[in-house]
Amino acid sequence: MLKIKPLLILTVLIFYLQGIDASLPISKQARITDASSVSEVELQASGLFYSDKKMAWRKRRDVKKNGVAYAINDAKKAAFYYLLYSGTDPLLSNEEEKEKFAGIKEIFFRDETISRWISDSEDIPDKKVLLKRGTGVKVSITLKINREELRKYLELESILEKRQTIFEKIGYPQIMVISRSDMTTSTNQITEGKKQNHAASVIESSLSAKGYDVIVPTQKQFLQQLNQKQFTVSGHSQDMSYELAQSIGCDIYIQVEIAESQSDYNTKKIAATLKAYESSTARLLGAETGYSKARIGEEHVSIEEALLEAINNILNRINTYWKADLEKGLRYKVVVKLEDIQDKKERELVKDQLVDSIEELSVYYKENIVTDKTVSYIIWCNVDQYKSGRNVWRKLREAYQEKAINTEISLLNQNRKLIISSISNVD
């Protein structure tokens, strides 16, 4: 009987496993250095190459002749690997997408394929380090990749669901941009207000160019009046931006704040901080800060540079959450006040009937606030069954009235994904 040595089996197994992922980069080290472009990102990536020759002198000769070119190619692959799998907003955001991509992985990481999306790259590395006594080499390069075109390719290959398909099902989110100057009544901050308002205009322009439905708050006095009239419920946050967003009726609001700092040689750097919230639930969708280069003057240019870096990342977060809502169900906030129900046992019965009704219409729900006379829920509803908040409210009303005996539920305010209602005794 023929005996196979364990070492030989191990060697064959390693070779086989390496062959499976031969298309992937060796280093997988990269980071984004500039994301201020609408479609492109600049990355710094590291690449590795180890010669597979048997003799040490042959390995060193191989590295000297071919090492840098192979390592640069590995660095390019590492940059794409980072965009696909790593960072805070990878293109492949869930296991299903990763499994689909595995089917085209080998073709994708070929030189002729990835070169389609590299818009700028140097043949000479920024850094070069010899490894293992010259039998290996590590390089660092800077390159630009058209991330938007890469995304479109993945959509055409059915790896990612098309954004248009997602938004056709649940609609483009209505987004409002709120600058800090919108929230202040101070009259001695004219210069500061101009910066904030310019920042808001840049973001609104970027959102409009990408097809988003943008709501523009332009009259501060009008906004403050809306805020004063906003219906408040026990347990609601008193954050003015949140209440303002609910008053106007947007899905998402983005807070923007601009700050400047002194740098070397009398130059200034701008930092733009963006925070995106879901209006109905005040859920934080993402927070990003972008930075400009140090300059003398050209303040508006620095503001735009800092903002464009931050807004692209924020939009990636928003799209990721919107896609997750499509998979799990649209999220709504339901607030119910018990108006004139004095008997404690009756109030408990009403709350039980209400939660039973919510269970009927939702695929998932979470109890948010429960007080003696106010209850609040976050519910997730099937996208195909409930196209709007009005449909959700109608089903809630029908489900509750089937169970209620001496009470009825009435709508007080329905604003996008926020439903405020009351339950009272029937006269």
Side-chain angles (χ1 to χ4, degrees):
M1 179 175 169
L2 180 64
K3 292 184 179 181
I4 302 176
K5 295 181 179 180
L7 182 59
L8 179 60
I9 296 175
L10 180 62
T11 302
V12 172
L13 180 61
I14 291 173
F15 178 82
Y16 176 73
L17 291 175
Q18 286 179 337
I20 292 176
D21 288 330
S23 58
L24 294 179
I26 301 171
S27 76
K28 301 183 179 67
Q29 296 178 6
R31 64 184 180 90
I32 294 176
T33 54
D34 185 3
S36 59
S37 171
V38 175
S39 58
E40 294 180 337
V41 289
E42 182 183 88
L43 300 98
Q44 188 175 67
S46 297
L48 293 169
F49 171 72
Y50 294 100
S51 176
D52 58 358
K53 304 296 182 184
K54 292 183 178 180
M55 304 297 292
W57 66 272
R58 291 183 181 275
K59 290 183 178 182
R60 285 191 288 269
R61 188 174 67 175
D62 189 22
V63 167
K64 186 176 181 180
K65 182 180 179 181
N66 305 308
V68 172
Y70 283 128
I72 287 177
N73 184 56
D74 188 67
K76 292 176 181 178
K77 289 183 178 182
F80 281 92
Y81 185 90
Y82 178 87
L83 293 179
L84 291 168
Y85 293 101
S86 306
T88 54
D89 299 292
L91 288 169
L92 305 177
S93 58
N94 57 53
E95 290 303 319
E96 181 182 357
E97 292 170 350
K98 291 176 184 178
E99 288 177 6
K100 289 179 180 179
F101 179 77
I104 66 165
K105 181 176 60 177
E106 184 176 346
I107 297 174
F108 178 86
F109 279 105
R110 290 176 181 172
D111 298 347
E112 61 270 22
T113 305
I114 62 174
S115 62
R116 295 160 56 183
W117 304 293
I118 299 176
S119 56
D120 187 21
S121 177
E122 298 293 335
D123 294 330
I124 301 175
D126 302 328
K127 294 179 183 179
K128 183 183 78 170
V129 179
L130 293 176
L131 306 173
K132 293 186 177 182
R133 297 181 180 181
T135 61
V137 64
K138 180 178 181 179
V139 301
S140 176
I141 66 169
T142 300
L143 70 161
K144 289 183 179 180
I145 295 175
N146 193 318
R147 176 174 172 148
E148 200 58 32
E149 289 300 317
L150 174 58
R151 176 186 290 277
K152 290 179 182 178
Y153 167 81
L154 295 173
E155 290 176 350
L156 287 173
E157 292 293 326
S158 300
I159 308 300
L160 303 179
E161 186 168 11
K162 292 182 179 180
R163 286 179 178 174
Q164 189 64 31
T165 303
I166 296 172
F167 292 139
E168 282 175 358
K169 290 181 179 179
I170 61 179
Y172 269 93
Q174 286 191 341
I175 303 177
M176 182 173 64
V177 183
I178 304 173
S179 69
R180 190 172 64 182
S181 61
D182 288 326
M183 296 294 103
T184 179
T185 58
S186 175
T187 57
N188 60 358
Q189 296 181 355
I190 297 175
T191 303
E192 184 69 19
K194 286 182 178 179
K195 293 179 187 176
Q196 305 290 338
N197 291 334
H198 176 64
S201 298
V202 171
I203 299 172
E204 289 161 357
S205 176
S206 178
L207 292 172
S208 298
K210 292 178 182 293
Y212 290 91
D213 191 357
V214 182
I215 299 176
V216 183
T218 55
Q219 300 178 35
K220 184 185 299 183
Q221 185 178 3
F222 171 69
L223 298 180
Q224 291 169 348
Q225 289 174 352
L226 277 177
N227 182 65
Q228 291 170 2
K229 294 177 181 179
Q230 171 66 26
F231 177 82
T232 57
V233 179
S234 175
H236 271 206
S237 169
Q238 295 303 307
D239 176 65
M240 290 183 67
S241 298
Y242 172 51
E243 294 181 14
L244 176 60
Q246 288 186 340
S247 298
I248 291 181
C250 61
D251 296 300
I252 294 167
Y253 66 96
I254 298 176
Q255 287 182 329
V256 53
E257 185 169 350
I258 301 297
E260 65 177 38
S261 60
Q262 294 290 334
S263 193
D264 298 333
Y265 307 107
N266 294 320
T267 59
K268 291 182 180 180
K269 294 181 70 175
I270 294 293
T273 300
L274 304 180
K275 294 181 179 180
Y277 297 87
E278 187 181 47
S279 300
S280 59
T281 62
R283 174 180 55 155
L284 179 66
L285 304 183
E288 293 289 339
T289 301
Y291 300 93
S292 73
K293 297 176 182 177
R295 293 186 177 89
I296 297 177
E298 297 183 324
E299 192 173 69
H300 281 193
V301 174
S302 295
I303 289 174
E304 291 178 21
E305 183 179 60
L307 281 170
L308 287 173
E309 180 179 350
I311 189 62
N312 288 332
N313 292 332
I314 281 289
L315 287 179
N316 288 335
R317 301 287 181 86
I318 290 173
N319 292 334
T320 299
Y321 275 104
W322 231 240
K323 185 167 64 174
D325 277 351
L326 182 61
E327 296 170 357
K328 188 176 181 180
L330 284 181
R331 180 189 297 235
Y332 293 87
K333 184 174 183 179
V334 178
V335 181
V336 183
K337 294 192 71 178
L338 279 59
E339 293 288 1
D340 55 357
I341 304 172
Q342 303 300 325
D343 183 74
K344 186 176 180 179
K345 289 185 178 180
E346 187 178 1
R347 285 200 302 270
E348 291 302 312
L349 176 61
V350 166
K351 291 176 184 178
D352 290 342
Q353 293 169 340
L354 179 63
V355 73
D356 289 342
S357 302
I358 286 175
E359 282 184 346
E360 280 188 27
L361 69 95
S362 61
V363 293
Y364 177 76
Y365 71 93
K366 183 174 70 174
E367 201 170 65
N368 194 26
I369 296 171
V370 178
T371 67
D372 193 38
K373 294 186 177 181
T374 304
V375 292
S376 173
Y377 291 91
I378 305 296
I379 66 174
W380 287 260
C381 298
N382 186 288
V383 178
D384 297 324
Q385 286 184 281
Y386 305 101
K387 301 291 186 182
S388 68
R390 182 66 187 179
N391 291 336
V392 173
W393 157 247
R394 182 171 59 187
K395 178 60 180 177
L396 175 62
R397 181 187 62 198
E398 292 173 356
Y400 179 79
Q401 293 305 149
E402 286 178 359
K403 301 171 181 58
I405 300 174
N406 299 318
T407 60
E408 63 179 2
I409 188 169
S410 303
L411 182 65
L412 297 178
N413 187 359
Q414 186 255 308
N415 192 339
R416 305 290 288 181
K417 294 183 179 180
L418 174 65
I419 300 171
I420 302 176
S421 58
S422 67
I423 295 178
S424 56
N425 285 315
V426 178
D427 294 334

